[in-house]
Amino acid sequence: MTIDWRYTVEENLGVLSVAGFLGPDAVRRFSGAVGWALARGTGPVVVDLTELRGWSAEGQLAITEAARRLMEAGRSLELAAIPADGSLVPAGDCPPVPVHPDLTAALAAHSAGRTEKAEGRHEWRTTGWPAGERTAE
């Protein structure tokens, strides 16, 4: 089982939404999505886990590795709506990872509005992500 993802560049941050199960089979695809975010945006990256069904220990390690990669690029990683089956337990050398209860709270923390025709807004997604589906308004 793998994941689908959507990356949206907002005015001052990126939102990487992930759906499915972040387990050993999905870690490489998640890492690729993080690389996509690194190449196509600036500012913090909020990883929206609203549609994530769960994650394994390998999936949690992929999150902490993403935080490290972003930090090395001068950016930060934040989480929104972590799975109910547990909290993230970052490794000791992991940069701080703010956790928001949901995407709306994460966007409010950055005063980023999401509008259908926001100027400068760009979006990419895997083919498995339904077109036009929005996680938060």
Side-chain angles (χ1 to χ4, degrees):
M1 181 182 295
T2 190
I3 58 165
D4 285 303
W5 59 267
R6 176 183 65 205
Y7 181 64
T8 307
V9 175
E10 301 288 347
E11 186 174 325
N12 59 350
L13 75 149
V15 177
L16 177 60
S17 300
V18 182
F21 183 80
L22 186 52
D25 295 340
V27 167
R28 187 172 179 164
R29 190 167 197 179
F30 178 75
S31 180
V34 171
W36 192 270
L38 278 166
R40 288 168 179 79
T42 61
V45 174
V46 175
V47 179
D48 174 24
L49 302 173
T50 302
E51 299 298 323
L52 195 70
R53 290 189 300 266
W55 52 15
S56 67
E58 294 89 351
Q60 288 190 24
L61 287 173
I63 296 279
T64 59
E65 181 58 30
R68 279 190 211 96
R69 285 176 67 193
L70 287 161
M71 181 188 69
E72 290 169 2
R75 299 173 70 184
S76 63
L77 180 135
E78 301 180 20
L79 298 177
I82 61 172
D85 64 347
S87 62
L88 178 69
V89 181
D93 62 343
C94 182
V97 177
V99 177
H100 304 278
D102 55 34
L103 183 56
T104 301
L107 294 175
H110 292 279
S111 300
R114 291 173 63 101
T115 59
E116 206 51 45
K117 295 192 186 237
E119 192 170 318
R121 184 170 189 262
H122 300 283
E123 182 176 289
W124 299 268
R125 67 176 79 69
T126 58
T127 56
W129 195 278
E133 182 176 309
R134 303 191 59 79
T135 305
E137 294 296 329

